[in-house]
Amino acid sequence: QVQLVESGGGLVQAGGSLRLSCAASGRTFSNYAMGWFRQAPGKERDLVASISRSGGVTFYVDHAKGRFTISRDNAKNMAYLQMNSLKPEDTAVYYCAAASVQFDRLTVRSRNYDYWGQGTQVTVSS
């Protein structure tokens, strides 16, 4: 019911910044918790950050805390991931995803997310 398209990836040097964007279709964007995941070659796809329907609750994994900021603009059907102080270990394909939730909560389990974008490549050079 919702389609997601990521953009904003690219090549940056260590210490640099990128802002990833996720554009959602449909009129029910505010009914979904949103998450950002990443997958490096040969690795599992893992959560980076999640945000509740209203944006009032956020969660970050340890490696993202203090460096990354997840946000959303429900009026524009957009979600964002601001990434600062990037490290080579951040190199991965980054995906946005939407999870159906009844109340203003978030989820950290990838299996709870119903819709996924195609991903955008982030490469951090040393």
Side-chain angles (χ1 to χ4, degrees):
Q1 178 115 326
V2 60
Q3 296 183 17
L4 307 173
V5 179
E6 303 96 334
S7 63
L11 174 64
V12 298
Q13 65 180 12
S17 298
L18 283 174
R19 188 183 72 166
L20 306 184
S21 299
C22 178
S25 67
R27 301 182 299 169
T28 59
F29 178 68
S30 63
N31 291 337
Y32 295 90
M34 297 295 297
W36 285 95
F37 295 76
R38 72 186 189 186
Q39 186 170 25
K43 306 285 288 185
E44 299 290 334
R45 184 163 56 193
D46 291 326
L47 177 74
V48 177
S50 185
I51 188 168
S52 64
R53 285 162 44 172
S54 71
V57 183
T58 58
F59 172 85
Y60 302 90
V61 296
D62 287 344
H63 66 75
K65 193 174 182 63
R67 299 189 300 130
F68 295 0
T69 303
I70 188 171
S71 61
R72 66 191 298 161
D73 186 341
N74 288 344
K76 294 183 169 63
N77 281 11
M78 296 288 292
Y80 306 95
L81 185 68
Q82 177 68 45
M83 304 188 295
N84 300 325
S85 302
L86 283 163
K87 306 173 181 179
E89 311 92 89
D90 296 318
T91 296
V93 177
Y94 284 71
Y95 301 87
C96 67
S100 298
V101 293
Q102 185 174 3
F103 302 106
D104 193 23
R105 306 181 69 179
L106 54 76
T107 178
V108 301
R109 288 273 184 173
S110 62
R111 291 193 181 274
N112 292 339
Y113 286 83
D114 305 295
Y115 304 101
W116 295 82
Q118 291 297 306
T120 185
Q121 176 71 46
V122 171
T123 303
V124 185
S125 64
S126 59

